[in-house]
Amino acid sequence: MLVLRVDDVAVAEEVSRAVHGLLDTGQRAKPVRFRGEVLLVLPQGSRELLDRLRTFPGVKQIHEIAVPYPLVSREWQPETTRVRVGNVTIGEGMPVVIAGPCSVESEVQVRAAADAAKRAGAHILRGGAYKPRTNPYSFQGLGETGLKLLRAAADAVGLPVVTEVMSPSAVDVVSRYADMLQVGTRSMANFDLLRALGSCGRPVLLKRGMSATVDEWLQAAEYIVAAGNSDVVLCERGIRSFDVATRNTLDLAGAVLAKQRSHLPVVVDPSHGTGVVDLIGPMSLAAVAAGVDGIMVEMHPNPKEAFSDGQQALTPVQLEELVAKVARLADSLSPVYAGPGPRREYGVRNS
Ligand code: PEP
Ligand code: MN
């Protein structure tokens, strides 16, 4: 792929118009705004195309990038992107802990979950108000009511909040209540949704599709960045495999590979990645040891009564123990995490 740094949108449009006939995509390339710069991304094309591009006065630089996700690649930007979510920064610092219930169920439940997340020392609260359920008769989430309850619970304890958005038409309402918008595994290839998130003004947590390759996942992230939003965090949440002993196969190698290929921060979700509560702790620690930028775990005040995913939810006490272990491990690995980020507080220390 070719990435052109150009003077302004007018130059990008002029170049795009002029070289359209030399492209094999059948469409005119659109200018991309990336961290204050105007870019034009074109397919590699012919020698003739390169020669032509070099003749335009407003074209400052032409980069040739070997992968189909140029803007999210480390070739384009070697340093890890730091994504700000409320008062928390993800990327190139100590790992963050995102915790909370699978679904927002009631005011009492989400308040108890927020209190427990805060007490345990988690940094970001999670909880679904729009739930993508396999079965149409399963609990589908409380919708906007759930968003309001989640926001109020997060504000009461001073944590930022991430929640899922399933359709382009819900991007506005979810952006009003959430600090970060989550794209679930079933939506990773909803390209209309990815494009709509380009202009939502919020960071995006992009889960890997359960059958997606790492390359497909990174190209999904490229959709959001190409649409104007470079604040994307990748989330490995397990892929489908033949083994039914776990709900999914948590692909830690894929998470690390994504981190090596892309400058976007990567977090790991061992709750959906394994579906087994006893595997959440060990796999969280393995992910942190591997150098990822955070973990996302489900935690419910009373997992046995959860409306969804109770089998993979930590109790508040288990979360507290896990956060303490993550803190100790991250401290002992601090050379791995040495970066420009601030030291991170993990709340309660048990040792
Ligand atoms: C979730 O995090 O609530 C969720 C539905 O996860 P996934 O999209 O990974 O299944
Ligand atoms: Mn869940």
Side-chain angles (χ1 to χ4, degrees):
M1 308 285 292
L2 301 175
V3 181
L4 281 57
R5 288 196 148 95
V6 300
D7 280 345
D8 51 36
V9 169
V11 171
E13 275 163 359
E14 188 197 331
V15 173
S16 184
R17 224 177 0 258
V19 301
H20 179 54
L22 295 172
L23 305 180
D24 58 7
T25 55
Q27 65 180 4
R28 210 175 269 178
K30 291 200 193 92
V32 176
R33 287 182 190 280
F34 182 90
R35 301 200 183 281
E37 287 191 283
V38 181
L39 309 173
L40 193 64
V41 181
L42 302 172
Q44 191 70 41
S46 56
R47 200 73 256 156
E48 192 190 350
L49 173 68
L50 261 182
D51 291 343
R52 182 98 172 82
L53 292 172
R54 291 201 179 99
T55 65
F56 287 93
V59 174
K60 294 188 286 195
Q61 275 177 323
I62 304 174
H63 300 263
E64 294 185 56
I65 295 184
V67 288
Y69 42 85
L71 301 182
V72 308
S73 75
R74 286 222 190 245
E75 278 183 65
W76 169 253
Q77 181 191 299
E79 70 280 5
T80 298
T81 287
R82 301 174 71 195
V83 174
R84 204 152 172 85
V85 183
N87 56 0
V88 174
T89 304
I90 308 179
E92 211 74 310
M94 304 287 272
V96 294
V97 178
I98 305 171
C102 180
S103 306
V104 176
E105 300 167 4
S106 68
E107 183 173 1
V108 171
Q109 174 253 10
V110 72
R111 285 299 283 263
D115 284 345
K118 179 72 178 182
R119 212 170 332 109
H123 309 104
I124 300 175
L125 180 67
R126 62 147 289 146
Y130 296 94
K131 295 303 302 176
R133 304 306 300 282
T134 303
N135 187 293
Y137 306 110
S138 299
F139 178 60
Q140 303 286 310
L142 299 179
E144 189 171 356
T145 304
L147 294 176
K148 287 183 182 158
L149 296 178
L150 184 63
R151 179 77 262 166
D155 286 345
V157 297
L159 291 179
V161 76
V162 57
T163 193
E164 178 157 352
V165 57
M166 287 165 55
S167 73
S169 60
V171 168
D172 282 347
V173 66
V174 179
S175 303
R176 277 204 291 284
Y177 295 100
D179 298 291
M180 175 156 69
L181 275 55
Q182 176 174 323
V183 175
T185 192
R186 294 161 186 81
S187 301
M188 189 210 82
N190 181 342
F191 302 115
D192 286 340
L193 176 60
L194 302 180
R195 265 191 293 267
L197 290 167
S199 50
C200 70
R202 297 282 185 199
V204 176
L205 182 72
L206 176 65
K207 288 198 155 193
R208 177 180 179 181
M210 61 181 87
S211 309
T213 63
V214 170
D215 258 36
E216 287 163 346
W217 184 25
L218 295 177
Q219 289 176 81
E222 184 84 10
Y223 260 95
I224 303 170
V225 175
N229 185 354
S230 46
D231 287 336
V232 178
V233 176
L234 300 166
C235 179
E236 159 60 33
R237 51 78 68 206
I239 50 176
R240 281 271 165 96
S241 80
F242 57 86
D243 197 340
V244 293
T246 52
R247 181 176 179 185
N248 290 290
T249 294
L250 186 66
D251 185 11
L252 287 185
V256 174
L257 190 66
K259 229 181 128 40
Q260 289 173 353
R261 293 193 174 167
S262 171
H263 55 78
L264 299 175
V266 176
V267 303
V268 165
D269 170 357
S271 288
H272 295 90
T274 67
V276 179
V277 72
D278 291 342
L279 293 174
I280 296 174
M283 296 320 289
S284 294
L285 297 175
V288 168
V292 302
D293 300 285
I295 55 166
M296 177 153 95
V297 296
E298 290 189 333
M299 177 273 296
H300 193 283
N302 187 354
K304 288 197 184 69
E305 286 178 10
F307 290 180
S308 58
D309 284 353
Q311 79 291 350
Q312 59 185 43
L314 299 172
T315 63
V317 171
Q318 287 173 323
L319 178 67
E320 203 167 306
E321 288 165 359
L322 176 59
V323 177
K325 285 184 189 166
V326 165
R328 284 203 295 278
L329 179 58
D331 272 348
S332 70
L333 287 168
S334 53
V336 175
Y337 288 107
R343 303 294 299 163
R344 202 178 291 287
E345 289 303 319
Y346 290 91
V348 200
R349 297 292 180 112
N350 288 348
S351 68

